[in-house]
Amino acid sequence: MSTSAPGPTPGFLVWRLANKWRVAVDRAVAPLGLTHAQYSLVASLYGMQRAGERPSQRQLADHTGLEALYVSKLARALESAGLIERARDPRDPRAVQLALTEQGQVVTRQAVAVVQELLAQLLEPLGGPDAPRARAFTDELTTLLDAPLTPSLPTDHTTQGRTP
């Protein structure tokens, strides 16, 4: 909590909203055999495939913001479920390309529809997904996500407040 203002900090509120959203998506896509993380992967892959791309696991990790190792783990599980195909990249034998199977496309389209309904519910207090407040909210979130974070140095509390 900040000592400058009463109430929750923006970081706390973003964390709470992210958790609320994750739980809601997990529940909504569970009947389709997906978790929120798997949904994020297949929905991103679906969009990239529609744009004519066949991304590598690394490209998909960069796109989703997930760790490459986690994307690899999710991809293996989704491959076992018959939703995606993994293949060696002919240009780089170390890279693995991903593509949705026909079944994966069907499940992903269903999941996207379910999550779009959830998004409408979440954004209803701002006037709905197409409302000016919702667009402004999206712009603000994008600004925050695009801002680079520099690692902070550990604070030595024993010297805090002293003049060097």
Side-chain angles (χ1 to χ4, degrees):
M1 290 283 279
S2 170
T3 57
S4 63
T9 65
F12 179 74
L13 294 173
V14 167
W15 177 74
R16 291 269 323 270
L17 183 59
N19 281 322
K20 178 180 180 178
W21 182 248
R22 183 191 50 77
V23 168
V25 173
D26 268 337
R27 289 179 181 154
V29 299
L32 298 169
L34 297 172
T35 65
H36 182 256
Q38 290 172 329
Y39 167 77
S40 296
L41 200 80
V42 295
S44 294
L45 185 55
Y46 183 73
M48 294 172 93
Q49 275 187 216
R50 290 186 67 195
E53 298 176 50
R54 184 171 177 136
S56 68
Q57 287 182 172
R58 166 54 70 190
Q59 290 168 316
L60 196 55
D62 291 344
H63 179 81
T64 60
L66 297 170
E67 292 291 327
L69 191 60
Y70 190 44
V71 168
S72 177
K73 178 182 173 186
L74 291 170
R76 281 192 301 274
L78 291 164
E79 182 181 40
S80 293
L83 300 180
I84 69 168
E85 298 170 333
R86 299 167 70 234
R88 289 283 171 208
D89 185 335
R91 297 165 303 200
D92 181 356
R94 297 168 298 161
V96 175
Q97 291 181 321
L98 303 174
L100 290 168
T101 63
E102 274 189 50
Q103 179 189 0
Q105 290 179 31
V106 169
V107 169
T108 300
R109 281 192 295 269
Q110 292 171 339
V112 166
V114 167
V115 172
Q116 288 299 316
E117 286 180 31
L118 268 178
L119 183 61
Q121 287 177 33
L122 178 69
L123 294 176
E124 187 57 38
L126 300 179
D130 298 321
R133 283 182 67 200
R135 286 193 301 273
F137 177 64
T138 300
D139 290 345
E140 296 291 349
L141 290 172
T142 301
T143 298
L144 293 174
L145 286 168
D146 288 345
L149 291 178
T150 55
S152 59
L153 298 173
T155 304
D156 182 355
H157 294 288
T158 62
T159 60
Q160 199 170 21
R162 296 183 191 169
T163 307

